[in-house]
Amino acid sequence: MGRGAGVKAVVYDRYGSPDVLQVEGVPVPSPAAGQVRVKIAATSVNLSDWECLRGSPAYARIGGLRVPARRTLGSDIAGLVDDVGERVTRFRPGDEVYGDNLRLMGGFAEYALAPESALAHKPAQLTFAEASTIPQAGAIALQGTDRAAPGRRVLINGAGGGSGSFAIQLAKRLGAHVTGVDNAAKLDFMRSVGADEVIDYRGDDFTRAAQPYDLILDLVAHRSVFAYRRALAPGGTYRCVGGSVPTLLRVLTLGWLVGRLTSRAIGILAVKEGPAHFEPLAALCVTGEIGIHIHRTFTLEEVPAALAHVGEGRALGKVVVDLS
């Protein structure tokens, strides 16, 4: 890894494996109108970071077909406000903040710029590392489980990671019977956060379960629309957040038709972003009703290893890059 002058940032200029990442010296960014400069204390790793590193699935290249649109990854940031641009009214230097900076990224660095609208005041009861785990994964989990209820059977595919571990707990809190699906190394972890049943996707096909599900939240969609329909009870709902482009396209088109014809709802979860959509989870974490599970923390220099840990499916819950 090379390093030049200025503040440190992990950068990449072409899609590929973690080997394309470098630590470089970059200028301290200056906030434009409506922007906040954050001195980063912690940034959690999301599957979206891995996808943008690899440039795959194809939607990860939006805005940068041949080369990355943003040189520095990392959207779920937490830290101290260092400076503010014109028209910023909610924050001042020294404030502790966190948020999902998906539009500008830049969290794997000592400083990052974020729109004021993306940030919230960090609860004093949470560490920076804990707060950084919540924004993106929390918004997905909250919206993906909002149909869970007592007596309903809920299945979460990819439940052993960040969004999944929050989703298991939220669905259980709402009274549902929860089944978690992931690789064999995550079965005990999924049970520990509340899953009633667990499935190793390599050994069992959840779409052929004896009892169908009322709600399926799919964080890694790769199956056919007809398999998902088979797994749903009449009146049931299937929503996917990530997965292969062919699968997502089929869900968008054929899924709507198959669902309508068979009294089921099959579609993509259009995740709403911003503090209003993740602060409710932070409040539950503050009271201890929902647990935050940080599997490992890495340094800024170890960002390639942190991304590989998540991308290769080894993370139990969340992985955090700690700069504090």
Side-chain angles (χ1 to χ4, degrees):
M1 286 194 180
R3 184 177 297 165
V7 299
K8 288 190 290 184
V10 178
V11 303
Y12 75 129
D13 294 304
R14 59 189 173 91
Y15 297 111
S17 73
D19 296 340
V20 304
L21 296 164
Q22 300 283 325
V23 176
E24 285 186 6
V26 299
V28 178
S30 297
Q35 289 184 342
V36 174
R37 184 168 70 212
V38 180
K39 186 179 190 301
I40 301 296
T43 299
S44 75
V45 181
N46 290 302
L47 197 56
S48 56
D49 295 308
W50 174 254
E51 292 173 345
C52 288
L53 170 65
R54 306 284 298 176
S56 175
Y59 57 73
R61 296 184 182 232
I62 291 173
L65 192 60
R66 293 182 178 276
V67 296
R70 304 287 179 192
R71 293 189 77 211
T72 298
L73 296 167
S75 63
D76 270 1
I77 61 174
L80 290 169
V81 173
D82 182 68
D83 193 11
V84 299
E86 294 177 16
R87 299 198 296 275
V88 171
T89 59
R90 292 172 49 231
F91 304 107
R92 61 185 63 183
D95 286 353
E96 297 184 345
V97 296
Y98 72 122
D100 181 3
N101 195 27
L102 191 58
R103 196 161 11 132
L104 297 182
M105 306 291 275
F108 299 139
E110 292 180 310
Y111 292 87
L113 298 178
E116 179 183 27
S117 60
L119 299 173
H121 289 279
K122 181 185 76 67
Q125 300 92 332
L126 300 179
T127 67
F128 285 111
E130 289 170 338
S132 75
T133 69
I134 292 171
Q136 190 175 126
I140 290 169
L142 281 167
Q143 293 165 57
T145 59
D146 63 0
R147 292 172 181 258
R152 289 197 166 182
R153 289 173 51 80
V154 174
L155 180 136
I156 301 158
N157 188 29
S163 298
S165 59
F166 283 138
I168 288 172
Q169 296 178 78
L170 289 166
K172 282 299 295 178
R173 183 175 174 272
L174 293 171
H177 179 280
V178 180
T179 299
V181 182
D182 215 308
N183 64 53
K186 298 188 180 186
L187 301 185
D188 287 341
F189 172 69
M190 292 188 292
R191 286 191 193 96
S192 76
V193 295
D196 298 291
E197 297 180 48
V198 294
I199 295 173
D200 172 8
Y201 74 88
R202 294 187 179 110
D204 291 294
D205 181 355
F206 74 83
T207 71
R208 296 185 180 278
Q211 274 187 281
Y213 299 94
D214 302 296
L215 172 64
I216 296 174
L217 173 61
D218 197 344
L219 303 168
V220 283
H222 293 285
R223 304 294 299 278
S224 79
V225 166
F226 298 101
Y228 298 136
R229 188 213 64 78
R230 180 174 63 225
L232 279 177
T237 299
Y238 169 91
R239 290 288 180 265
C240 61
V241 179
S244 70
V245 169
T247 300
L248 295 178
L249 288 173
R250 285 193 296 267
V251 169
L252 264 177
T253 54
L254 189 59
W256 177 84
L257 179 62
V258 169
R260 190 174 178 115
L261 290 174
T262 60
S263 302
R264 293 158 174 85
I266 300 174
I268 291 174
L269 179 68
V271 181
K272 301 181 181 72
E273 301 168 17
H277 303 291
F278 62 74
E279 285 187 296
L281 180 63
L284 293 171
C285 293
V286 165
T287 61
E289 293 175 73
I290 299 294
I292 295 171
H293 298 273
I294 297 175
H295 186 205
R296 284 186 61 183
T297 59
F298 293 81
T299 66
L300 190 64
E301 285 77 12
E302 294 171 332
V303 162
L307 281 161
H309 199 71
V310 172
E312 293 165 6
R314 288 182 280 142
L316 307 178
K318 292 291 290 187
V319 163
V320 173
V321 176
D322 194 334
L323 284 79
S324 60

